[in-house]
Amino acid sequence: MVLLLLLILALLAVIVIFAFPAVSPIPYYPSRHRDLGLIAQAMDLHDGQTVVDLGAGDGTVVFFAASQAQRQRLRIKFVAIEINPILVMALLIRRLFHPAKKNIQVVWADFFRWQPNPANERVFYLYGAPWLNDKIANRLRQFPGKNRLVSYYYPVAGLTAQQRIQGINRIFVYQLGRRRQQ
Ligand SMILES: C[S@@+](CC[C@H](N)C(=O)[O-])C[C@H]1O[C@@H](n2cnc3c(N)ncnc32)[C@H](O)[C@@H]1O
């Protein structure tokens, strides 16, 4: 009886965490597996980069890209930011078994509050939402350094894509300069 009650409570907690926009303002959908190679290509993986997945979900993209980097012997840091505690647990468990785990950092945070460590060159990956992408991009443009944004599925309003790649879904690549003073 107690076990059943605990199970129901756990199930309710999962429903609340996944269903309430206050906990997870963008719903969890993983990027399509068949697009992962194109996403890694759009990231233009090379030595010295930091790759940040803004809302990493279960790590579909970040772990794939980290495997690619390891295969090519590239020195790249990966940061998986996620707000949903259940997905953070999944990320931490998957990280434990990943061969490049020492290069992968899992951060439980709201990406609107997260502050990056200094880095020469960052690539942000975002599978966001049309109503939020421009707000996210504006925040990213405040960060110093040479930064790019790879946006899956949805373009960013107000920014011109440097590159567009057609997979099952579209992939947009943006150079993130600071906004000019009006
Ligand atoms: C569409 S899914 C993309 C998952 C993963 N990036 C992928 O492409 O497979 C969006 C993810 O962003 C997370 N998320 C939404 N708002 C967030 C926020 N403010 N801070 C951190 N993560 C957030 C959600 O919990 C969800 O896992």
Side-chain angles (χ1 to χ4, degrees), residues 18 24-33 36 39 43 51-65 78-92 94-95 104-111 124-128 136:
F18 277 90
S24 190
I26 306 165
Y28 163 62
Y29 297 118
S31 295
R32 297 289 295 266
H33 276 267
L36 292 178
I39 292 168
M43 285 175 174
V51 173
V52 184
D53 190 339
L54 298 159
D58 68 352
T60 297
V61 171
V62 89
F63 292 125
F64 177 86
F78 292 89
V79 183
I81 304 172
E82 179 50 60
I83 201 168
N84 179 325
I86 293 174
L87 292 168
V88 171
M89 268 192 274
L91 285 164
L92 288 170
R94 286 187 74 180
R95 182 189 172 275
I104 305 167
Q105 185 191 6
V106 175
V107 182
W108 180 15
D110 176 345
F111 50 59
F124 294 101
Y125 178 72
L126 176 66
Y127 183 3
I136 297 168

Coordinates of all heavy atoms in Angstrom, one line a residue, residues 18 24-33 36 39 43 51-65 78-92 94-95 104-111 124-128 136:
F18 N 7.2 17.6 -16.1 CA 7.2 17.7 -17.5 C 6.1 18.6 -18.1 O 6.2 19.1 -19.2 CB 7.1 16.3 -18.1 CG 8.4 15.6 -18.2 CD1 8.9 14.8 -17.1 CD2 9.2 15.8 -19.3 CE1 10.1 14.2 -17.1 CE2 10.5 15.2 -19.3 CZ 10.9 14.4 -18.3
S24 N 9.5 23.8 -16.9 CA 10.2 23.5 -18.2 C 9.5 24.3 -19.3 O 8.6 23.8 -19.9 CB 10.2 22.0 -18.5 OG 11.0 21.7 -19.6
P25 N 10.0 25.6 -19.5 CA 9.3 26.5 -20.4 C 9.2 26.0 -21.9 O 8.4 26.4 -22.6 CB 10.0 27.8 -20.3 CG 11.1 27.6 -19.3 CD 11.2 26.2 -18.9
I26 N 10.2 25.1 -22.2 CA 10.2 24.5 -23.6 C 10.0 23.0 -23.3 O 10.7 22.4 -22.6 CB 11.5 24.8 -24.3 CG1 11.8 26.2 -24.4 CG2 11.4 24.2 -25.7 CD1 13.2 26.5 -24.8
P27 N 9.0 22.4 -24.0 CA 8.8 21.0 -23.7 C 10.0 20.1 -24.2 O 10.7 20.6 -25.1 CB 7.6 20.6 -24.5 CG 7.1 21.9 -25.2 CD 8.1 23.0 -24.9
Y28 N 10.1 19.0 -23.6 CA 11.2 18.1 -24.0 C 10.9 17.3 -25.2 O 10.0 16.5 -25.2 CB 11.6 17.2 -22.8 CG 12.4 16.0 -23.2 CD1 13.7 16.2 -23.7 CD2 11.9 14.7 -23.1 CE1 14.5 15.1 -24.1 CE2 12.7 13.6 -23.5 CZ 14.0 13.8 -24.0 OH 14.7 12.8 -24.4
Y29 N 11.7 17.6 -26.3 CA 11.7 16.7 -27.5 C 13.1 16.6 -27.9 O 13.8 17.6 -28.1 CB 11.0 17.4 -28.7 CG 9.5 17.8 -28.5 CD1 9.1 19.1 -28.6 CD2 8.6 16.8 -28.4 CE1 7.8 19.4 -28.5 CE2 7.2 17.1 -28.3 CZ 6.9 18.4 -28.3 OH 5.5 18.8 -28.2
P30 N 13.6 15.3 -28.0 CA 15.0 15.2 -28.4 C 15.1 15.6 -29.9 O 14.2 15.4 -30.7 CB 15.3 13.7 -28.2 CG 14.0 13.0 -28.1 CD 12.9 14.1 -27.7
S31 N 16.3 16.1 -30.3 CA 16.6 16.3 -31.7 C 16.6 14.9 -32.4 O 16.9 13.9 -31.8 CB 18.0 16.9 -31.9 OG 18.0 18.2 -31.3
R32 N 16.3 15.0 -33.7 CA 16.1 13.7 -34.4 C 17.5 13.0 -34.7 O 18.4 13.7 -35.1 CB 15.5 14.0 -35.8 CG 14.0 14.6 -35.7 CD 13.1 13.5 -35.2 NE 12.9 12.5 -36.2 CZ 12.0 12.4 -37.1 NH1 11.1 13.4 -37.2 NH2 11.9 11.4 -38.0
H33 N 17.5 11.7 -34.4 CA 18.8 11.0 -34.5 C 19.4 11.1 -35.9 O 20.6 11.3 -36.0 CB 18.6 9.5 -34.1 CG 18.7 9.3 -32.7 ND1 19.9 9.0 -32.0 CD2 17.7 9.5 -31.7 CE1 19.6 9.0 -30.7 NE2 18.4 9.2 -30.5
L36 N 21.7 14.1 -36.4 CA 22.8 14.4 -35.5 C 24.1 14.7 -36.2 O 24.9 15.6 -35.9 CB 23.0 13.2 -34.5 CG 21.9 13.1 -33.5 CD1 22.1 11.9 -32.6 CD2 21.7 14.3 -32.6
I39 N 24.0 18.2 -37.5 CA 24.1 19.1 -36.3 C 25.6 19.3 -35.9 O 26.1 20.4 -35.8 CB 23.2 18.6 -35.1 CG1 21.7 18.8 -35.5 CG2 23.6 19.4 -33.9 CD1 20.8 18.1 -34.5
M43 N 28.0 22.6 -36.1 CA 28.8 23.1 -35.0 C 30.2 23.4 -35.4 O 30.9 24.1 -34.7 CB 28.8 22.0 -33.8 CG 27.5 22.0 -33.1 SD 27.5 20.6 -31.9 CE 26.0 20.8 -31.1
V51 N 31.3 23.8 -26.3 CA 30.0 23.6 -26.9 C 29.0 23.5 -25.8 O 29.1 22.7 -24.8 CB 29.9 22.3 -27.7 CG1 28.5 22.0 -28.2 CG2 30.9 22.3 -28.9
V52 N 28.0 24.4 -25.9 CA 27.0 24.5 -24.8 C 25.6 24.1 -25.3 O 25.1 24.8 -26.2 CB 26.9 25.9 -24.2 CG1 25.9 26.0 -23.0 CG2 28.3 26.4 -23.8
D53 N 25.0 23.1 -24.8 CA 23.6 22.7 -25.2 C 22.7 23.4 -24.2 O 22.6 23.1 -23.0 CB 23.5 21.2 -25.2 CG 22.1 20.8 -25.8 OD1 21.2 21.6 -25.9 OD2 22.0 19.6 -26.3
L54 N 21.9 24.3 -24.7 CA 21.0 25.1 -23.9 C 19.7 24.4 -23.8 O 18.8 24.5 -24.6 CB 20.7 26.5 -24.5 CG 22.0 27.4 -24.7 CD1 21.7 28.4 -25.7 CD2 22.4 28.0 -23.4
G55 N 19.5 23.6 -22.7 CA 18.4 22.7 -22.6 C 18.7 21.4 -23.2 O 18.2 21.1 -24.3
A56 N 19.6 20.6 -22.5 CA 20.2 19.5 -23.2 C 19.3 18.2 -23.2 O 19.6 17.3 -23.8 CB 21.5 19.1 -22.4
G57 N 18.2 18.3 -22.5 CA 17.3 17.1 -22.5 C 17.9 15.9 -21.9 O 18.5 16.0 -20.9
D58 N 17.9 14.8 -22.7 CA 18.6 13.6 -22.2 C 20.0 13.5 -22.7 O 20.6 12.5 -22.6 CB 17.7 12.3 -22.6 CG 17.7 12.1 -24.1 OD1 18.2 13.0 -24.9 OD2 17.2 11.1 -24.6
G59 N 20.5 14.5 -23.4 CA 21.8 14.6 -23.9 C 22.1 14.0 -25.3 O 23.2 13.8 -25.7
T60 N 21.0 13.8 -26.0 CA 21.1 13.2 -27.4 C 22.2 13.9 -28.2 O 23.0 13.3 -28.8 CB 19.7 13.4 -28.1 OG1 18.8 12.6 -27.4 CG2 19.7 12.9 -29.5
V61 N 22.2 15.2 -28.2 CA 23.1 16.0 -29.0 C 24.5 16.1 -28.4 O 25.5 15.8 -29.0 CB 22.5 17.4 -29.3 CG1 23.6 18.3 -30.0 CG2 21.3 17.3 -30.1
V62 N 24.5 16.4 -27.1 CA 25.8 16.7 -26.5 C 26.6 15.4 -26.4 O 27.9 15.4 -26.7 CB 25.5 17.4 -25.1 CG1 25.4 16.4 -24.0 CG2 26.6 18.3 -24.8
F63 N 26.0 14.2 -26.1 CA 26.8 13.0 -26.1 C 27.3 12.6 -27.5 O 28.4 12.1 -27.6 CB 26.1 11.9 -25.4 CG 25.8 12.2 -23.9 CD1 24.6 12.2 -23.3 CD2 26.9 12.5 -23.1 CE1 24.4 12.4 -22.0 CE2 26.8 12.7 -21.7 CZ 25.5 12.7 -21.2
F64 N 26.4 12.8 -28.5 CA 26.8 12.4 -29.8 C 28.0 13.3 -30.2 O 29.0 12.8 -30.8 CB 25.7 12.7 -30.8 CG 26.0 12.4 -32.2 CD1 25.9 11.1 -32.7 CD2 26.4 13.4 -33.1 CE1 26.3 10.9 -34.1 CE2 26.8 13.2 -34.4 CZ 26.7 11.9 -34.9
A65 N 27.9 14.6 -30.0 CA 29.0 15.5 -30.4 C 30.3 15.2 -29.7 O 31.4 15.3 -30.2 CB 28.6 17.0 -30.2
F78 N 32.3 20.3 -23.3 CA 30.9 20.3 -23.6 C 30.2 20.6 -22.3 O 30.5 20.1 -21.2 CB 30.5 18.9 -24.0 CG 31.0 18.6 -25.4 CD1 32.3 18.0 -25.6 CD2 30.3 18.9 -26.5 CE1 32.8 17.7 -26.8 CE2 30.8 18.6 -27.8 CZ 32.0 18.0 -27.9
V79 N 29.2 21.5 -22.4 CA 28.4 21.9 -21.2 C 26.9 21.6 -21.5 O 26.4 22.1 -22.5 CB 28.6 23.4 -20.9 CG1 27.8 23.7 -19.6 CG2 30.0 23.7 -20.7
A80 N 26.3 20.7 -20.7 CA 24.9 20.4 -20.9 C 24.1 21.1 -19.8 O 24.2 20.7 -18.6 CB 24.7 18.9 -20.8
I81 N 23.3 22.1 -20.2 CA 22.5 22.8 -19.2 C 21.1 22.3 -19.3 O 20.5 22.3 -20.4 CB 22.5 24.3 -19.5 CG1 24.0 24.8 -19.5 CG2 21.7 25.1 -18.5 CD1 24.1 26.3 -20.0
E82 N 20.5 22.0 -18.2 CA 19.1 21.5 -18.2 C 18.4 22.0 -16.9 O 19.0 22.0 -15.8 CB 19.1 20.0 -18.3 CG 17.8 19.3 -18.3 CD 16.8 19.8 -19.3 OE1 17.0 19.9 -20.5 OE2 15.7 20.2 -18.9
I83 N 17.1 22.3 -17.1 CA 16.3 22.8 -16.0 C 15.5 21.7 -15.3 O 15.2 21.8 -14.1 CB 15.4 24.0 -16.4 CG1 15.0 24.8 -15.3 CG2 14.2 23.4 -17.2 CD1 14.3 26.1 -15.7
N84 N 15.2 20.7 -16.0 CA 14.3 19.6 -15.5 C 15.1 18.6 -14.7 O 16.0 17.9 -15.3 CB 13.6 19.0 -16.8 CG 12.7 17.8 -16.4 OD1 12.9 17.1 -15.5 ND2 11.6 17.7 -17.2
P85 N 14.8 18.5 -13.4 CA 15.7 17.6 -12.5 C 15.7 16.2 -13.0 O 16.7 15.5 -12.8 CB 15.1 17.8 -11.2 CG 13.7 18.4 -11.4 CD 13.7 19.1 -12.7
I86 N 14.6 15.7 -13.6 CA 14.6 14.3 -14.0 C 15.6 14.1 -15.2 O 16.3 13.1 -15.2 CB 13.2 13.8 -14.4 CG1 12.4 13.8 -13.1 CG2 13.2 12.4 -15.0 CD1 10.9 13.6 -13.2
L87 N 15.6 15.0 -16.1 CA 16.5 15.0 -17.2 C 17.9 15.2 -16.8 O 18.9 14.6 -17.3 CB 16.1 16.0 -18.3 CG 14.8 15.6 -19.0 CD1 14.3 16.8 -19.9 CD2 14.9 14.4 -19.9
V88 N 18.1 16.0 -15.7 CA 19.5 16.2 -15.2 C 20.0 14.9 -14.7 O 21.2 14.5 -14.9 CB 19.5 17.3 -14.1 CG1 20.8 17.3 -13.4 CG2 19.2 18.7 -14.7
M89 N 19.1 14.1 -14.0 CA 19.5 12.8 -13.5 C 19.9 11.9 -14.6 O 21.0 11.2 -14.6 CB 18.4 12.2 -12.6 CG 18.5 12.5 -11.2 SD 17.4 11.5 -10.2 CE 16.0 12.4 -10.3
A90 N 19.1 11.9 -15.7 CA 19.4 11.1 -16.9 C 20.8 11.5 -17.5 O 21.6 10.6 -17.8 CB 18.3 11.2 -17.9
L91 N 21.0 12.8 -17.5 CA 22.3 13.3 -18.1 C 23.5 12.8 -17.2 O 24.5 12.4 -17.8 CB 22.3 14.8 -18.1 CG 21.4 15.5 -19.2 CD1 21.2 17.0 -18.9 CD2 22.1 15.3 -20.6
L92 N 23.3 12.9 -15.9 CA 24.4 12.5 -15.0 C 24.7 11.0 -15.1 O 25.9 10.6 -15.1 CB 24.1 12.9 -13.6 CG 24.1 14.4 -13.3 CD1 23.5 14.7 -11.9 CD2 25.5 14.9 -13.3
R94 N 24.0 9.1 -17.8 CA 24.6 8.8 -19.1 C 26.1 9.3 -19.2 O 26.9 8.7 -19.8 CB 23.8 9.5 -20.2 CG 22.5 8.9 -20.5 CD 21.9 9.5 -21.7 NE 22.5 9.1 -23.0 CZ 22.1 9.6 -24.2 NH1 21.0 10.3 -24.3 NH2 22.7 9.2 -25.3
R95 N 26.3 10.4 -18.5 CA 27.7 10.9 -18.5 C 28.7 9.9 -17.8 O 29.8 9.8 -18.3 CB 27.7 12.3 -17.7 CG 29.1 12.9 -17.6 CD 29.2 14.1 -16.7 NE 30.5 14.5 -16.5 CZ 31.4 14.0 -15.7 NH1 31.0 13.0 -14.9 NH2 32.6 14.5 -15.6
I104 N 32.8 16.6 -20.3 CA 31.4 16.9 -20.3 C 31.0 17.4 -18.9 O 31.1 16.6 -18.0 CB 30.5 15.7 -20.8 CG1 31.0 15.1 -22.1 CG2 29.0 16.1 -20.8 CD1 30.4 13.8 -22.5
Q105 N 30.4 18.6 -18.9 CA 29.9 19.1 -17.6 C 28.4 19.1 -17.7 O 27.8 19.6 -18.7 CB 30.5 20.5 -17.4 CG 30.1 21.1 -16.1 CD 30.5 22.6 -16.1 OE1 30.9 23.2 -17.1 NE2 30.3 23.2 -14.9
V106 N 27.7 18.6 -16.7 CA 26.3 18.7 -16.6 C 25.9 19.8 -15.6 O 26.4 19.8 -14.5 CB 25.6 17.3 -16.2 CG1 24.1 17.4 -16.0 CG2 26.0 16.3 -17.2
V107 N 25.0 20.7 -16.0 CA 24.7 21.8 -15.1 C 23.2 21.9 -15.0 O 22.4 22.0 -15.9 CB 25.2 23.2 -15.7 CG1 24.8 24.3 -14.8 CG2 26.6 23.1 -16.0
W108 N 22.7 21.8 -13.7 CA 21.3 21.9 -13.4 C 21.0 23.4 -13.2 O 21.3 24.0 -12.2 CB 20.9 21.1 -12.2 CG 19.5 21.2 -11.8 CD1 18.4 21.6 -12.6 CD2 18.9 20.8 -10.6 NE1 17.2 21.5 -11.9 CE2 17.5 21.0 -10.7 CE3 19.4 20.2 -9.4 CZ2 16.6 20.7 -9.6 CZ3 18.5 20.0 -8.3 CH2 17.1 20.2 -8.5
A109 N 20.4 24.0 -14.3 CA 20.2 25.5 -14.2 C 19.2 25.9 -15.2 O 18.9 25.2 -16.2 CB 21.5 26.2 -14.4
D110 N 18.7 27.1 -15.0 CA 17.9 27.8 -16.0 C 18.9 28.6 -16.9 O 19.7 29.4 -16.4 CB 17.0 28.8 -15.2 CG 16.2 29.7 -16.1 OD1 16.5 29.8 -17.3 OD2 15.2 30.3 -15.6
F111 N 18.8 28.3 -18.2 CA 19.9 29.0 -19.0 C 19.7 30.5 -19.1 O 20.6 31.2 -19.5 CB 19.9 28.3 -20.4 CG 18.7 28.2 -21.2 CD1 17.9 29.3 -21.5 CD2 18.3 26.9 -21.6 CE1 16.7 29.1 -22.2 CE2 17.1 26.8 -22.4 CZ 16.3 27.9 -22.7
F124 N 26.8 27.6 -29.1 CA 25.6 27.2 -28.4 C 24.7 26.4 -29.3 O 24.5 26.7 -30.5 CB 24.8 28.5 -28.0 CG 25.6 29.4 -27.0 CD1 26.3 30.5 -27.4 CD2 25.6 29.0 -25.7 CE1 27.0 31.2 -26.5 CE2 26.3 29.8 -24.7 CZ 27.0 30.9 -25.2
Y125 N 24.1 25.4 -28.7 CA 23.1 24.6 -29.5 C 21.8 24.8 -28.8 O 21.7 24.7 -27.6 CB 23.5 23.1 -29.4 CG 22.4 22.3 -30.2 CD1 22.4 22.3 -31.5 CD2 21.5 21.5 -29.5 CE1 21.4 21.6 -32.2 CE2 20.5 20.8 -30.2 CZ 20.5 20.9 -31.5 OH 19.5 20.2 -32.2
L126 N 20.8 25.0 -29.6 CA 19.4 25.3 -29.1 C 18.4 24.6 -29.9 O 18.3 24.8 -31.1 CB 19.2 26.8 -29.1 CG 17.8 27.3 -28.7 CD1 17.6 27.1 -27.2 CD2 17.7 28.8 -29.0
Y127 N 17.6 23.8 -29.2 CA 16.3 23.3 -29.8 C 15.3 23.9 -29.0 O 14.9 23.4 -27.9 CB 16.3 21.7 -29.8 CG 15.1 21.1 -30.5 CD1 14.1 21.8 -31.1 CD2 15.0 19.7 -30.4 CE1 13.0 21.2 -31.7 CE2 13.9 19.1 -31.0 CZ 12.9 19.9 -31.6 OH 11.8 19.2 -32.2
G128 N 14.9 25.1 -29.4 CA 14.1 25.9 -28.5 C 12.6 26.0 -28.9 O 12.0 25.0 -29.2
I136 N 16.4 34.3 -26.0 CA 17.6 33.5 -25.7 C 18.8 34.1 -26.4 O 19.8 34.3 -25.9 CB 17.4 32.0 -26.0 CG1 16.2 31.5 -25.2 CG2 18.7 31.2 -25.8 CD1 15.8 30.1 -25.6

